[in-house]
């Protein structure tokens, strides 16, 4: 039977307890599983067999891996056939970064356009199992879009706490369409996160941010599916954007569980990339990377990036992210707004595309190759977290040469559109069109 275990004091709780953190020491919780007969070959063959099964739970790229997921009655599972996202080779992106080869696993191809669906199927299923009728989250947009959809499927009421004016309209429109009650708070994501936790502790509303360990259980299947698609061969390195740090932690847990069960022999290096103005993990890791335990985490006040999905200064899951780095001998890097914008256009030029937060991966790889930390012949899978249509304003502004932001002192900073696909307006007549086409 799986149980909940505190990553600090190791106290265990049943998975039916409605807690988000340890009730003894407030540490983060993991869902842990017994090491049973499901190891190595046996796991791989059951999981491979299910890939061809027509059953709804087997078609889900999350529930297919249910030997290592929290207990759930099949009739209780809330699924939108999430997962099953492709890994694509990206030659132009590889060349841009100085790599021989590079592959992207695009989690933006999930039902609501981001990786959050993988955690929401397990999160909402757990909410149902506990008898919750309403759920809430703080969000930079994708978590709320995903929670709203899965709550709607389950017939639950949902409340989203979002920083006013700081999420893309695409994401806001999803939460509205799926019927969530949207609370736009006059504050940033870190305020919203603090407040939603307070509200969830005082009311029957079930909290679905990634501090909830059941969310991360779904997201860890990114590691399982990725390995399955590669014939159970682990890459050298996984590169992932870091915001609230749930996803990097979850992916590392997935690989670690398969290492313990003999499916893989070595952890891929987990490499977390943050935006320059929202890089608290990078700062912490620089100072504390050699310490076993480090308690004083300094948030970045008023975090900033135009990649709004990762505009987070006080990430909840930082202790689990530090564990991920230790397990895998990983790295943390940060990249500038300019680097993110250019990398995003290059990913687009491979015919793949992504939202700005996802593009930190390619920008980070380029920076780490230039620094000699990443070798050009490494086998890397970078994780694209959100769909290109999530934030079209950003993309259009980049290609039009009008992407800009205000710095801390209120000065306008204009970005260069180094990989722009410029477009102009012309009269609606044949000669003008032929001229524009170069004939
Ligand atoms: N990429 C995208 C597209 C995201 O939406 C997020 C987080 C991340 C990366 C970072 O992942 O938080 O697990 O480190 N979005 C959250 C949200 C915070 O509310 O949608 P993380």
């Amino acid at each position: 039977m799986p149980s909940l275990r505190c990553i600090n004091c190791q106290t265990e709780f049943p998975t039916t307890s409605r807690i988000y953190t340890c009730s003894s020491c407030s540490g983060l919780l993991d869902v842990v599983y017994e090491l049973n007969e499901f190891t190595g070959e046996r796991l791989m063959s059951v999981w491979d067999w299910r890939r061809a099964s027509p059953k709804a739970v087997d078609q889900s790229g999350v529930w297919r891996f249910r030997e290592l997921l929290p207990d759930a009655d099949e009739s209780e599972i809330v699924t939108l056939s999430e997962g099953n996202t492709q890994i694509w080779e990206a030659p132009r992106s590889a060349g841009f970064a100085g790599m021989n080869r590079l592959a992207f696993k695009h989690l933006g191809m999930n039902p609501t356009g981001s990786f959050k669906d993988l955690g929401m199927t397990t999160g909402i299923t757990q909410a149902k199992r506990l008898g919750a009728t309403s759920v809430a989250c703080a969000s930079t947009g994708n978590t709320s879009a995903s929670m709203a959809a899965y709550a709607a499927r389950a017939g639950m009421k949902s409340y989203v706490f979002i920083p006013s004016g700081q999420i893309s309209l695409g994401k806001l429109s999803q939460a509205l369409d799926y019927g969530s009650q949207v609370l736009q708070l006059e504050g940033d994501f870190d305020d919203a996160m603090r407040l939603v936790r307070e509200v969830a502790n005082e009311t029957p509303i079930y909290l679905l941010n990634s501090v909830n360990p059941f969310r991360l259980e779904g997201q860890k299947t990114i590691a399982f599916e990725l390995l399955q698609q590669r014939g159970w061969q682990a890459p050298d390195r996984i590169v992932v954007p870091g915001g609230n740090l749930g996803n990097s932690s979850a992916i590392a847990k997935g690989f670690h569980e398969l290492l313990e069960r003999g499916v893989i022999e070595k952890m891929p290096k987990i490499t977390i990339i943050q935006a320059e103005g929202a890089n608290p993990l990078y700062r912490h890791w620089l100072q504390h990377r050699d310490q076993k335990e480090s308690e004083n985490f300094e948030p970045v006040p008023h975090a900033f990036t135009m990649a709004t999905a990762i505009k987070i200064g006080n990430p909840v899951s930082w202790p689990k992210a530090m564990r991920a780095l230790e397990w895998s001998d990983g790295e943390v890097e940060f990249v500038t707004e300019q680097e993110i914008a250019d990398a995003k256009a290059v990913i687009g030029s491979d015919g793949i595309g992504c939202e700005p937060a996802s593009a930190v991966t390619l920008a980070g790889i380029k920076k780490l190759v230039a620094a000699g930390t990443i070798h050009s012949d490494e086998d890397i899978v970078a994780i694209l977290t959100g769909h290109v249509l999530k934030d079209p304003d950003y993309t259009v502004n980049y290609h039009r040469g009008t992407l800009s932001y205000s710095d801390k002192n209120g000065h306008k900073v204009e970005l260069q559109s180094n990989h722009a696909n410029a477009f102009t307006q012309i009269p609606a007549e044949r000669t003008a069109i032929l001229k524009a086409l170069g004939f």
Side-chain angles (χ1 to χ4, degrees):
M1 286 279 278
S3 55
L4 289 169
R5 185 191 295 151
C6 173
I7 70 164
N8 257 351
C9 70
Q10 313 296 320
T11 307
E12 292 208 9
F13 308 90
T15 54
T16 45
S17 0
R18 194 171 162 148
I19 50 173
Y20 309 107
T21 50
C22 175
S23 34
S24 318
C25 77
S26 305
L28 296 173
L29 298 172
D30 265 341
V31 181
V32 290
Y33 305 83
E34 285 158 16
L35 268 179
N36 54 18
E37 72 280 12
F38 280 106
T39 53
E41 288 296 327
R42 177 115 187 244
L43 275 181
M44 290 186 271
S45 67
V46 173
W47 291 350
D48 281 343
W49 178 84
R50 280 193 195 134
R51 245 179 140 183
S53 150
K55 267 175 68 177
V57 278
D58 297 339
Q59 287 291 303
S60 162
V62 172
W63 294 101
R64 178 183 307 145
F65 304 105
R66 55 191 172 272
E67 282 67 24
L68 290 179
L69 287 179
D71 295 323
D73 199 69
E74 267 183 47
S75 62
E76 273 174 355
I77 289 176
V78 184
T79 173
L80 281 165
S81 309
E82 51 290 316
N84 304 304
T85 56
Q86 291 311 305
I87 299 178
W88 288 316
E89 287 290 326
R92 292 185 192 88
S93 299
F96 171 77
M99 296 288 301
N100 298 344
R101 279 186 49 214
L102 181 61
F104 289 116
K105 181 164 174 64
H106 204 330
L107 302 176
M109 298 298 161
N110 270 293
T112 75
S114 85
F115 69 97
K116 305 290 182 179
D117 296 341
L118 306 170
M120 231 23 106
T121 184
T122 46
I124 289 279
T125 298
Q126 177 67 8
K128 207 167 151 187
R129 189 174 168 225
L130 297 178
T133 53
S134 60
V135 292
C137 68
S139 182
T140 56
N142 280 325
T143 303
S144 47
S146 180
M147 186 188 75
Y150 281 81
R153 300 291 298 171
M156 288 180 196
K157 179 92 192 107
S158 67
Y159 305 93
V160 305
F161 291 45
I162 54 168
S164 179
Q166 297 176 46
I167 78 167
S168 74
L169 282 185
K171 298 173 188 177
L172 174 61
S173 70
Q174 289 181 287
L176 294 172
D177 229 29
Y178 302 139
S180 243
Q181 182 168 341
V182 176
L183 305 169
Q184 297 205 65
L185 305 188
E186 291 160 3
D188 61 13
F189 171 82
D190 299 312
D191 296 320
M193 187 68 235
R194 177 174 47 80
L195 288 162
V196 77
R197 288 179 80 169
E198 282 176 29
V199 171
N201 282 334
E202 286 166 25
T203 65
I205 302 173
Y206 188 63
L207 179 66
L208 276 178
N209 276 102
S210 56
V211 64
N212 182 325
F214 293 91
R215 277 270 317 278
L216 298 192
E217 288 311 286
Q219 287 174 213
K220 82 179 178 195
T221 64
I222 295 168
F224 300 172
E225 186 177 273
L226 182 154
L227 287 170
Q228 182 169 46
Q229 287 167 311
R230 293 170 45 103
W232 305 106
Q233 297 301 311
D236 297 325
R237 189 183 293 271
I238 297 288
V239 181
V240 61
N244 215 12
L245 301 174
N247 207 31
S248 40
S249 304
I251 294 172
K253 183 173 188 277
F255 281 116
H256 197 252
E257 285 174 356
L258 295 194
L259 182 75
E260 285 179 328
R261 284 163 181 77
V263 173
I264 55 172
E265 283 167 9
K266 195 167 173 264
M267 286 281 290
K269 284 179 185 291
I270 305 295
T271 304
I272 304 173
I273 315 292
Q274 299 199 294
E276 185 176 27
N279 66 351
L281 183 72
Y282 173 79
R283 296 175 187 211
H284 185 80
W285 175 75
L286 264 197
Q287 284 193 355
H288 301 278
R289 55 194 293 182
D290 301 322
Q291 287 163 251
K292 262 262 165 259
E293 272 167 30
S294 52
E295 295 209 330
N296 300 324
F297 188 83
E298 279 190 36
V300 169
H302 311 297
F304 175 77
T305 167
M306 277 194 284
T308 48
I310 51 171
K311 187 170 178 279
I312 296 174
N314 193 11
V316 166
S317 292
W318 71 264
K320 287 187 177 172
M322 288 297 284
R323 180 179 72 174
L325 295 163
E326 192 198 316
W327 273 343
S328 71
D329 190 22
E331 313 278 337
V332 190
E333 188 51 275
F334 71 85
V335 289
T336 64
E337 294 301 307
Q338 183 67 56
E339 289 167 329
I340 298 171
D342 288 332
K344 185 176 127 49
V346 174
I347 296 169
S349 76
D350 262 316
I352 293 176
C354 63
E355 70 163 279
S358 308
V360 300
T361 50
L362 181 60
I365 294 167
K366 182 173 167 64
K367 189 169 175 185
L368 289 169
V369 169
T373 310
I374 292 182
H375 300 289
S376 57
D377 59 356
E378 276 186 37
D379 176 6
I380 300 185
V381 179
I383 305 295
L384 299 180
T385 45
H387 198 281
V388 66
L389 293 176
K390 285 278 189 176
D391 194 352
D393 283 351
Y394 182 105
T395 310
V396 172
N397 277 322
Y398 179 84
H399 291 291
R400 194 161 51 191
T402 52
L403 194 60
S404 67
Y405 63 94
S406 295
D407 70 11
K408 281 200 185 86
N409 307 317
H411 297 135
K412 189 174 177 189
V413 180
E414 291 183 4
L415 295 196
Q416 306 284 315
S417 296
N418 297 316
H419 297 265
N421 180 12
F423 59 104
T424 50
Q425 200 163 314
I426 53 164
E429 57 171 51
R430 194 175 147 273
T431 41
I433 292 171
L434 288 174
K435 191 169 166 229
L437 294 178
F439 292 106

